[in-house]
Amino acid sequence: MPAALVVWLSTLTGLSFGWWWSAVGGLVGAVLGLVVLARSRGRPAVVRWWRLGIAWSVLLCGMSVGVVGTMRLRAASDDPLRTLAGADVTGMFRVEITERAKPVVSTGFGGQQSGVRAVVLPARVVWAVVAGRRVSSTGAVILVAPVDRWRTLLPGQQVTATAAVAPADPGQLTVAVLRVRGPPDALSEAAEWQRVAQRLRSGLRDASGVLGPEPRGLVPALVVGDTDDLSQRVTDEFRAAGLAHLLAVSGANLAVVGVAVLLLLRVLRCGPRTAAAGAMVALVGFVVLAGPEPSVLRAGVMGAVGLLALAIGRQRAALPALSVAVIVLVLWDPAMAVSIGFALSVLATGALVLIAPRWAERLADRGVPRGLAEALAVPAAAHLVTAPVVAGFAGQVSVVAIGANLLAAPVVAPATVLGVLAAVVAPVAPWLAELLVRLAGPEANWLVFVARHGAGLPGAVIGWPTGWLGGLLLAGCMALLVVALRRRQLRVLIGIVLIGLLIVVIPVRVIAPVWPPDGWAMVACDVGQGDAIVLATGEAGRAVVVDTGPEVAPLAACLDRLDVSRVPLVVLTHLHADHIGGLDAVLADHAVGAVGVSRARVPRWAWEEVRDEAWDAGVPVVQLTAGQRLAWPGLVVEVLAPDDEEVMPAVQSDGTEINNASLVLRAVTPAGRVLLSGDVELAAQAHLLDERVDLSADVIKVPHHGSRYTSPELFAAVRPRIAVVSVGAMNRYGHPSPFTLRVLAHLGVLVLRTDTAGDTAIVATAAGPRAVTRGPSRSPP
């Protein structure tokens, strides 16, 4: 272990603060090894051999990282591409792909559909010509390229492309980011085993199509870490529930496969050596299936350590094996020293083979059944040691992680094994692969259920300081808790404190929650760069939704917080991506009466998406026109625009005319009148004013996220007391416009922005409407 710490910390400091720190760390390790060697003389034989083992390992590893590791860090630091990256240059590059493409999901806005429009591919430079001269570089680079033809590239393939050179993040071995616009040229062939593995992964993805939308994307993620078809909502819920590790290939995946093969061979009466060899072959095969990328190889090594500890039944042998794995992996790929995934893998593996068995023994000694004791000890130990790292980089702590992992654990192994079998048989027997995937479907549905309900519990996630300070703070708290639990008096005291907190927190957060405020009439949901408005009716749990934002997850979370279960009408003011992207959040989990749209059915892709989603949910689509009046107990919605004159230009255009064809609504609520203006711009605003439409309202949802194209005359006609701007933080469109904000300020209007205030509610008071904000999404209310 000391040798592993020398290698890891030396490389970590070298990448973080400069390559020379790696040399310093290696030198310090070598000196410490020499000191221990010198002081081993004259000791008893057992002690001397033990100290000699430590000394030689530290000495050799210190020299290795001080020489070999430092040379690699210096080569990356002095790479000429790193210097050129800040010069805004373009060149031609021949690169070798080192990992499979990772999709970059872009949120839709306006007429641009959400989805994957770019991929990220780690690669290694073979040769480069920049600004007309050849550059001597063989460094690691990141390619950001279009989806077409780049997404299917496999590790080992060499391609040529023209790219702009951009700086890479500091503290990494990556020397530059190459931004590619065109297709790859001069492709080389991938290795046959890579193509076979790709066919197996594709077969699993195709076979998973027989499941519902969410389990369809989850099964490939569980088995081989393929998250291409996984919805952002499920990803967010798994993260909040502490189950995100299930969505990536980890040592647990490989251990499950290895143990399954080991047990099968033992049932077939194979000897211990044959069974162990078969399990190792299965591990190698799984690595090939998932792709021999750094993260998968790391998981393979950690899985082998776990199997070793299981096979020999000696905890003392697990720590040296884990230490050797750390030494080999960091010397082979120094970038792992600063990898969050690597740290989590090492810590989790150490907890599973060192801490969990001891905790399980202690629980069993106190009368807890053996199976339950192990089921409790494993997630508790893993969460204890990884929580500080997660808190440091994610800024949150999952309170429900241990319970969620305990509930998820029984189905992870069956789902993984069934998924692997489905991938293996898919090329030759697709029907059998579909059958195996169907058998894995209930397990996937259970995991989604656990993650969704775990993430939805009040206080499931606690905000925490980020960075080293936040991680060290939580580690200190965890250490104090473990020490305190060792003493009976302190255990009783901690139990009393926890019971007291539950007595206080449960009534406050569940029975009388902070959010939503009593008597809310309207809530502008914080959905990022888009619109989503919820209008309360006089019936509990029943609300009208106007627009659904750009994504499913934010709106689903907002509706859950409002405890909305029935939606008599979903109004889509117009069919731009930032207003329809979250429609499935309403249709999937709520009783919906109808979806209301205007006559403008463009862009075509958006209309087809809305129509298909509504059809799949069995919800009718109805047309709304100016002059209609819709009423529910406690709520009246008037359709003010558009008329046929405004709709016709939009029918023939995919441009900004669609904004001007937005449905403009006025809601009459107990808190006053609310004008919902969609994305209408100057032409549509002028038409409303020319037609002398009564626009007066107490609250206005500012058009088009507060864009510059809003006339002061509109605000003067509305005469609002409160203006709500639904806008995304740090968006690239400059919303809201300073000009629009100045106009509202001049009129004395209270302006609230969802990017800074979060969910914004309008409540009724004796003095008129009052605004209550929840705070940005990451912060508790």
Side-chain angles (χ1 to χ4, degrees), residues 129 137 231 302 330 398 423 490 493 503 521 548 551 571 651 687 722 752 761:
V129 177
S137 172
S231 71
M302 297 304 162
V330 174
S398 175
L490 291 177
L493 178 61
I503 292 174
T548 62
E551 297 178 280
V571 180
V651 172
H687 184 77
I722 301 173
L752 297 166

Side-chain angles (χ1 to χ4, degrees), residues 8-21 72-74 76-78 82 140 142 167-176 333-340 468:
W8 194 351
L9 293 178
S10 298
T11 308
L12 175 65
T13 54
L15 284 170
S16 302
F17 305 110
W19 60 265
W20 55 87
W21 282 104
R72 294 185 64 183
L73 297 190
R74 182 175 182 180
S77 177
D78 296 341
R82 193 181 290 274
I142 296 291
D169 290 336
Q172 302 285 339
L173 281 181
T174 303
V175 300
D333 183 7
M336 286 193 182
V338 293
S339 167
I340 298 296
W468 286 96

Side-chain angles (χ1 to χ4, degrees), residues 367-454:
V368 179
R370 169 68 62 177
L372 179 59
E374 293 177 350
L376 289 170
V378 167
H383 184 61
L384 177 74
V385 300
T386 58
V389 178
V390 174
F393 82 87
Q396 63 182 32
V397 178
S398 175
V399 179
V400 300
I402 295 176
N405 278 277
L406 178 63
L407 293 173
V411 303
V412 172
T416 302
V417 172
L418 289 169
V420 170
L421 292 175
V424 172
V425 303
V428 295
W431 63 270
L432 181 56
E434 292 181 0
L435 175 62
L436 292 169
V437 166
R438 288 186 187 277
L439 294 176
E443 291 90 333
N445 283 320
W446 172 250
L447 291 174
V448 172
F449 176 85
V450 170
R452 181 154 299 159
H453 287 78

Side-chain angles (χ1 to χ4, degrees), residues 596-617:
V597 298
S598 74
R599 280 187 57 201
R601 308 293 169 84
V602 287
R604 187 68 184 175
W605 66 262
W607 164 242
E608 292 174 353
E609 182 176 299
V610 169
R611 182 193 60 197
D612 293 346
E613 288 184 7
W615 174 269
D616 291 342

Side-chain angles (χ1 to χ4, degrees), residues 165-249:
V165 186
D169 290 336
Q172 302 285 339
L173 281 181
T174 303
V175 300
V177 174
L178 304 182
R179 301 188 181 278
V180 183
R181 294 191 179 276
D185 293 326
L187 275 70
S188 67
E189 285 290 332
E192 179 61 29
W193 60 272
Q194 287 277 14
R195 296 199 295 271
V196 170
Q198 178 67 9
R199 286 196 292 270
L200 295 179
R201 291 190 294 266
S202 298
L204 174 61
R205 193 182 305 116
D206 294 341
S208 299
V210 299
L211 302 177
E214 290 178 336
R216 174 192 310 157
L218 182 57
V219 169
L222 284 173
V223 179
V224 293
D226 181 357
T227 59
D228 287 5
D229 296 331
L230 193 63
S231 71
Q232 188 61 42
R233 180 185 182 185
V234 173
T235 302
D236 292 342
E237 289 168 345
F238 269 64
R239 185 180 297 114
L243 299 173
H245 60 93
L246 298 178
L247 305 181
V249 176

Side-chain angles (χ1 to χ4, degrees), residues 164 208 277 308 325 381-382 466 514 529 531 547 552 615 650 665 760 762 775:
S208 299
L308 175 64
T466 57
V514 177
Q529 185 67 11
D531 280 3
D547 289 325
V552 170
W615 174 269
L665 312 174
T760 300
I762 304 299

